[in-house]
Amino acid sequence: MLERFGHDLKAGSRAGLLRAARRAYLLALLVLAVPSVAVGAAQWLSGQSELPLGAAVVLAGLAAGLGLMAYLLARRAAQNAQWPAPQAALTGAFQLAGVPGVPLLLAGAFAPAWGLALFLLVLAAGGHLLAWASLDRWVRSPAQDG
């Protein structure tokens, strides 16, 4: 995977840079998803009970808000014209993993609250779709660098 990542990064084309950014995004998302599954399994086995509705709503809002902040920061990094295209694309891609990553981590932490966990997983899936589509819009051609 890393060999293909390096090849895509050195290709010098927008398509290669987009592939590299998508690989970086998926790698960063994997770094967030693996602990989420482990924490979720541990929480599920502990047999904790449901959360009160108010706490679940607050946590869902927190996940959405933090995901939105991750999106805005990633967009700012990816569109930074002062950085070379590869640096901007990879920085944005790594930060973009927080969009679905935050709800994933919270879903794992609150797995016994199945309603909240399900909502957070749906939020993470929507965040992933948004992130994947955003990379295509944000990655610019290395040839555009002056």
Side-chain angles (χ1 to χ4, degrees), residues 2-71:
L2 291 178
E3 185 177 315
R4 294 186 121 199
F5 174 77
H7 183 269
D8 288 339
L9 196 55
K10 294 177 186 176
S13 66
R14 183 184 181 281
L17 190 53
L18 179 59
R19 283 191 305 272
R22 285 190 169 156
R23 288 181 202 279
Y25 164 77
L26 290 174
L27 182 62
L29 184 58
L30 184 65
V31 167
L32 294 172
V34 169
S36 176
V37 171
V39 168
Q43 289 289 357
W44 192 267
L45 292 173
S46 73
Q48 295 180 356
S49 63
E50 285 283 323
L51 289 172
L53 181 60
V57 169
V58 168
L59 284 169
L62 178 68
L66 290 174
L68 176 63
M69 288 304 299
Y71 180 82

Side-chain angles (χ1 to χ4, degrees), residues 36 40 43-44 50-51 56-57 59-60 63 102-125:
S36 176
Q43 289 289 357
W44 192 267
E50 285 283 323
L51 289 172
V57 169
L59 284 169
V102 169
L104 273 177
L105 287 170
L106 287 174
F110 295 98
W114 65 270
L116 173 62
L118 182 61
F119 175 79
L120 291 171
L121 290 175
V122 169
L123 187 62

Side-chain angles (χ1 to χ4, degrees), residues 5 8-10 12-13 17-18 20-21 24 77-78 80 83-94 139-143 145:
F5 174 77
D8 288 339
L9 196 55
K10 294 177 186 176
S13 66
L17 190 53
L18 179 59
N80 188 340
W83 291 346
Q87 181 181 356
L90 295 182
T91 302
F94 281 125
V139 172
R140 65 182 191 265
S141 173
D145 292 339

